[in-house]
């Protein structure tokens, strides 16, 4: 019975347009304004909080799309639960590796990363290729020209 | 039991057909949406894998990330964002008109959506082309002299994986919406009882938009 009631409620929400097409235009306008905001603030390159701000704006835009374009606001019951659970999983999936990286022994981070001062560990046939951001591509190509000392 | 008010053709089967195991059309529609949300949840988790790669490497190579991000064309990225958001609007309007049974408007809105999708892909092509020209490519194929930092090729690995996967989704979304558009033109049987096809296709398109809303600041605005 519970399921049937949910379905009825959802069907009514979806069928009755309490709003005309105007709401979609309004959401579109808001999304464009937020895009401008994210571009303007993004170009300033605010240290530390820039990423947080960008993610907050993106999440706000995402929420608008989900609730009104995808009609999550009108949906009921299990349909909302599924989405909420997937977002919880995404947050967990992101949080756990970041906590791991943030608390690692420095030497365990990859060579060349900001948080490591160890030398490169060469794995693979041609260790030089692509390892230094392209600085040393092939033996005798760039290395000789710049006279960079080999480790 | 339930029957459609759109079986005007007479000989044609009533649309939508109610499957025997559903108590009513309402329950059937509810179940269809549940299925779509489940599918979209798997899609979100698919992209989440790439976002985690992004997060890990950005944490390890912050300077490379900032430098590489600034080598992208912000103008083209912004235009693409606006194009995709607007195409989402037209996809939402298509559902709105499908509910009202205005099949011609459904076809028009879906057509507009498809045009903008093509526009998005064309702009993306020019961006890709430029990267192949200057050599900002993943891994060992990286050969751009302008930025020489450890971790920069990793940025482009993430860039190409994320945008290519998103691009594939754009193409799939276009195919799905094209089916709805053809139906709106040929059968013209969308109406208050029958709009699930447009609705679910449009939900897929909004997901494509949703992913881009996150990819845009992550890639272009480090």
């Amino acid at each position: 019975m519970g399921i049937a009631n949910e379905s009825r409620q959802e069907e009514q929400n979806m069928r009755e347009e309490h709003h005309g097409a105007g709401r979609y235009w309004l959401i579109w306008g808001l999304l464009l304004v937020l895009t401008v905001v994210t571009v303007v603030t993004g170009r300033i390159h605010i240290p530390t909080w820039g990423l947080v701000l960008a993610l907050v704006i993106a999440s706000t835009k995402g929420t608008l799309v989900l609730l009104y374009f995808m009609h999550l606001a009108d949906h009921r019951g299990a349909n909302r639960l599924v989405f909420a659970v997937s977002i919880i999983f995404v947050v967990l999936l992101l949080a756990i590796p970041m906590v791991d990286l943030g608390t690692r022994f420095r030497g365990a981070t990859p060579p060349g990363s900001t948080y490591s001062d160890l030398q490169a560990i060469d794995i693979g046939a041609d260790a030089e290729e692509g390892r230094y951001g392209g600085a040393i591509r092939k033996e005798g190509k760039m290395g000789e020209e710049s006279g960079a000392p080999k480790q | 039991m339930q029957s459609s008010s759109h079986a005007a053709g007479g000989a044609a089967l009533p649309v939508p057909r109610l499957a025997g195991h559903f108590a009513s059309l309402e329950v059937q529609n509810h179940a269809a949406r549940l299925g779509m949300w489940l599918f979209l949840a798997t899609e979100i988790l698919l992209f989440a894998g790439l976002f985690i790669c992004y997060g890990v490497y950005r944490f390890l190579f912050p300077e490379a990330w900032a430098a590489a991000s600034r080598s992208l064309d912000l103008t083209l990225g912004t235009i693409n964002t606006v194009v995709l958001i607007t195409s989402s609007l037209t996809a939402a309007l298509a559902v709105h008109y499908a509910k009202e049974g205005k099949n011609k408007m459904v076809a028009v809105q879906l057509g507009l959506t498809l045009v903008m999708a093509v526009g998005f892909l064309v702009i993306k092509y020019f961006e890709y082309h430029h990267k192949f020209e200057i050599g900002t490519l993943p891994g060992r194929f990286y050969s751009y002299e302008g930025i020489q930092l450890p971790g920069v090729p990793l940025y482009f690995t993430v860039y190409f994986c994320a945008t290519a996967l998103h691009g594939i989704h754009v193409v799939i979304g276009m195919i799905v919406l094209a089916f709805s558009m053809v139906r709106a033109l040929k059968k013209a049987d969308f109406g208050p009882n029958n709009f699930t096809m447009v609705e679910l296709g449009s939900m897929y398109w909004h997901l494509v938009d949703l992913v881009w809303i996150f990819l845009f600041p992550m890639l272009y605005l480090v």
Side-chain angles (χ1 to χ4, degrees):
Chain A
M1 251 346 257
I3 293 291
N5 287 340
E6 263 172 21
S7 304
R8 174 147 300 177
Q9 181 69 52
E10 183 173 303
E11 191 70 15
Q12 258 180 1
N13 287 343
M14 288 303 291
R15 206 175 288 205
E16 287 172 14
E17 295 249 312
H18 331 275
H19 54 88
R23 177 187 274 190
Y24 299 119
W25 287 94
L26 177 68
I27 300 299
W28 174 69
L30 284 174
L31 288 171
L32 289 186
V33 169
L34 286 170
T35 304
V36 171
V37 171
T38 200
V39 169
V40 168
T41 56
R43 287 182 67 172
I44 304 172
H45 301 299
I46 308 161
T48 320
W49 295 104
L51 176 63
V52 177
L53 182 66
L55 286 178
V56 166
I57 295 171
S59 305
T60 311
K61 286 164 77 181
T63 310
L64 287 174
V65 170
L66 277 162
L67 286 180
Y68 302 110
F69 280 178
M70 294 168 97
H71 294 283
L72 199 63
D74 296 326
H75 293 175
R76 286 287 167 267
N79 293 2
R80 305 177 110 185
L81 190 68
V82 165
F83 179 74
V85 169
S86 79
I87 291 302
I88 291 170
F89 283 168
V90 171
V91 170
L92 275 178
L93 209 58
L94 252 174
I96 293 168
M98 296 320 280
V99 169
D100 166 43
L101 277 169
T103 56
R104 262 188 198 179
F105 167 57
R106 287 280 159 94
T109 54
S113 71
T114 310
Y115 301 98
S116 164
D117 32 37
L118 293 189
Q119 292 302 318
I121 304 158
D122 293 331
I123 303 164
D126 192 347
E128 309 282 44
E129 273 186 336
R131 248 169 210 279
Y132 299 88
I136 303 161
R137 270 177 296 174
K138 276 261 194 262
E139 207 147 340
K141 252 195 190 171
M142 294 257 307
E144 265 176 24
E145 283 161 22
S146 61
K150 285 292 182 72
Q151 299 291 332
Chain B
M1 295 196 61
Q2 301 259 348
S3 69
S4 165
S5 56
H6 289 268
L13 281 163
V15 227
R17 269 164 277 168
L18 177 68
H21 51 275
F22 286 115
S24 69
L25 197 60
E26 291 161 0
V27 179
Q28 179 171 293
N29 288 343
H30 189 76
R33 282 184 205 114
L34 177 60
M36 195 64 197
W37 278 115
L38 273 172
F39 170 63
L40 294 186
T42 67
E43 290 274 32
I44 289 167
L45 288 165
L46 170 70
F47 279 101
L50 277 165
F51 288 176
I52 281 126
C53 287
Y54 174 93
V56 166
Y57 291 131
R58 180 169 173 170
F59 181 83
L60 290 172
F61 302 101
E63 287 159 16
W65 237 241
S69 161
R70 269 151 234 182
S71 81
L72 301 190
D73 193 329
L74 181 61
T75 314
L76 288 183
T78 311
I79 292 171
N80 255 354
T81 308
V82 172
V83 166
L84 218 52
I85 285 174
T86 311
S87 75
S88 236
L89 167 74
T90 52
L93 287 174
V95 181
H96 172 79
Y97 289 119
K99 275 182 212 171
E100 293 183 344
K102 293 175 182 163
N103 280 279
K104 263 195 186 148
M105 281 308 282
V106 174
V108 168
Q109 297 295 341
L110 289 179
L112 284 173
T113 310
L114 291 179
V115 167
M116 282 181 268
V118 170
F120 178 88
L121 289 176
V122 167
I123 293 174
K124 204 80 228 158
Y125 165 78
F126 283 118
E127 286 192 82
Y128 271 23
H129 186 74
H130 180 64
K131 282 177 186 55
F132 277 85
E133 294 253 290
I134 64 170
T136 46
L137 296 171
R140 65 173 59 191
F141 303 106
Y142 186 90
S143 62
Y144 182 52
E145 313 268 331
I147 309 168
Q148 298 288 331
L149 280 170
V152 172
L154 273 172
Y155 172 88
F156 287 100
T157 306
V158 173
Y159 172 87
F160 275 100
C161 287
T163 52
L165 187 67
H166 179 263
I168 292 169
H169 279 77
V170 170
V171 173
I172 296 171
M174 285 169 73
I175 295 169
V176 171
L177 292 181
F179 272 100
S180 292
M181 189 178 81
V182 170
R183 189 177 179 119
L185 285 173
K186 284 201 165 168
K187 292 195 175 171
D189 59 359
F190 293 124
N193 282 324
N194 182 37
F195 59 88
T196 305
M197 185 179 178
V198 187
E199 191 199 340
L200 300 192
S202 157
M203 275 168 79
Y204 187 85
W205 191 256
H206 295 315
L207 181 93
V208 172
D209 182 31
L210 194 64
V211 169
W212 184 258
I213 283 175
F214 281 89
L215 280 181
F216 170 62
M218 280 166 50
L219 292 173
Y220 290 79
L221 295 165
V222 176

